[in-house]
Amino acid sequence: MDRRLVLWNVDLTLVDVTIVTRDAYAEAFRAVTGRPLVKLAPAMGRPDSEIIFETLAINGIVVDDSHLPRFIEALARSFGDRRKRLAKEGRAMPGAKEALHAVSRLDGTVQSVLTGTIKSNAVHKLMAFGLNTYVDFEVGGYGEEVYPKASLLQVAQGRAKEKYRAPFEAVLIGDSTRDVQAARIAGAAMIAVASGRSTAAELAEAGADIVLPDLSNASEVVAAVARLTDRYVGGRQ
């Protein structure tokens, strides 16, 4: 009997903490390079590891093998130091908490994250808004793991299978065309929300199974998850 693994993107799907994230990057950049950050590479659904490499390059830093682990460590520290600012200067996306709660009540469902954010920072982001209650962080995929996002999705499925001793049908919920492409490559179902920088038309063109304007209608989110997984879950074919 298969179970549902609902994997959520974090930034601009569940939360928006852009200001705090940029400040944390600036401090981490200075800690690693001794220079001020002039330009931060755009996220665009990419993992922190990729953003770090591009940020170093566009700021004129010759990258060596030590830069990534040092930067990730500095980013975790600088973001953690700012965690009390998250609820004040950031926000949960409309309907995020209600959607997570509603999906958690679906039979045979485990929820986690598939995010470009490094694990410690993903935990801080969700805890700031009380969203962590619904998420099993152990089986997620994170930005310090140097895998393409599609491969990371399959890694998360494997982690869930190992922990819960059951196969899972995965559904990714995210806001970028990169999320959609990852789901397509990994063979997972995709629910796209037009709450980020990709439009509903772009998400549909990229191949999302279902496109929602946002998460404000929890019943709509639950119906989308159920529609994409019910034929597999509970022995139905």
Side-chain angles (χ1 to χ4, degrees):
M1 180 187 295
D2 285 9
R3 303 180 70 182
R4 299 178 178 93
L5 177 64
V6 181
L7 294 167
W8 295 82
N9 180 59
V10 174
D11 291 302
L12 301 184
T13 300
L14 293 174
V15 303
D16 180 1
V17 292
T18 305
I19 294 171
V20 179
T21 298
R22 180 179 173 83
D23 286 354
Y25 259 98
E27 182 177 299
F29 184 89
R30 185 182 288 275
V32 171
T33 69
R35 291 157 52 171
L37 176 66
V38 176
K39 185 176 182 181
L40 178 62
M44 299 187 303
R46 299 184 299 172
D48 277 334
S49 57
E50 194 172 323
I51 297 167
I52 288 167
F53 277 125
E54 185 174 330
T55 295
L56 290 166
I58 62 179
N59 286 277
I61 304 298
V62 179
V63 179
D64 62 40
D65 290 343
S66 73
H67 275 106
L68 181 60
R70 288 167 55 212
F71 205 120
I72 286 174
E73 182 180 351
L75 183 61
R77 184 169 57 250
S78 61
F79 195 90
D81 289 344
R82 290 163 171 77
R83 64 188 180 278
K84 293 182 180 178
R85 290 173 48 190
L86 292 170
K88 297 177 183 177
E89 299 178 37
R91 62 178 179 134
M93 300 302 284
K97 190 167 190 176
E98 294 78 9
L100 280 161
H101 174 67
V103 172
S104 73
R105 298 176 69 183
L106 273 171
D107 288 343
T109 298
V110 171
Q111 297 187 93
S112 191
V113 294
L114 188 75
T115 176
T117 302
I118 62 175
K119 185 175 182 178
S120 62
N121 293 356
V123 173
H124 287 315
K125 290 176 183 182
L126 297 194
M127 286 187 69
F129 303 98
L131 306 182
N132 56 298
T133 304
Y134 308 102
V135 173
D136 182 346
F137 290 104
E138 287 185 12
V139 301
Y142 302 93
E144 66 266 46
E145 302 182 88
V146 189
Y147 295 104
K149 204 163 192 178
S151 299
L152 195 55
L153 194 158
Q154 294 171 327
V155 168
Q157 273 183 291
R159 287 171 176 159
K161 182 178 181 181
E162 182 176 358
K163 179 174 180 178
Y164 293 96
R165 300 185 180 279
F168 281 82
E169 287 297 323
V171 181
L172 177 59
I173 303 179
D175 62 85
S176 74
T177 55
R178 281 187 172 234
D179 292 328
V180 180
Q181 290 159 2
R184 295 277 67 81
I185 293 168
M190 178 72 207
I191 299 169
V193 287
S195 55
R197 295 183 176 87
S198 298
T199 66
E202 289 169 339
L203 294 165
E205 185 177 354
D209 295 297
I210 296 172
V211 180
L212 304 176
D214 52 35
L215 301 173
S216 59
N217 187 333
S219 296
E220 195 174 43
V221 178
V222 170
V225 172
R227 174 183 157 192
L228 294 174
T229 58
D230 266 355
R231 64 178 174 145
Y232 300 106
V233 176
R236 290 182 292 275
Q237 297 295 327

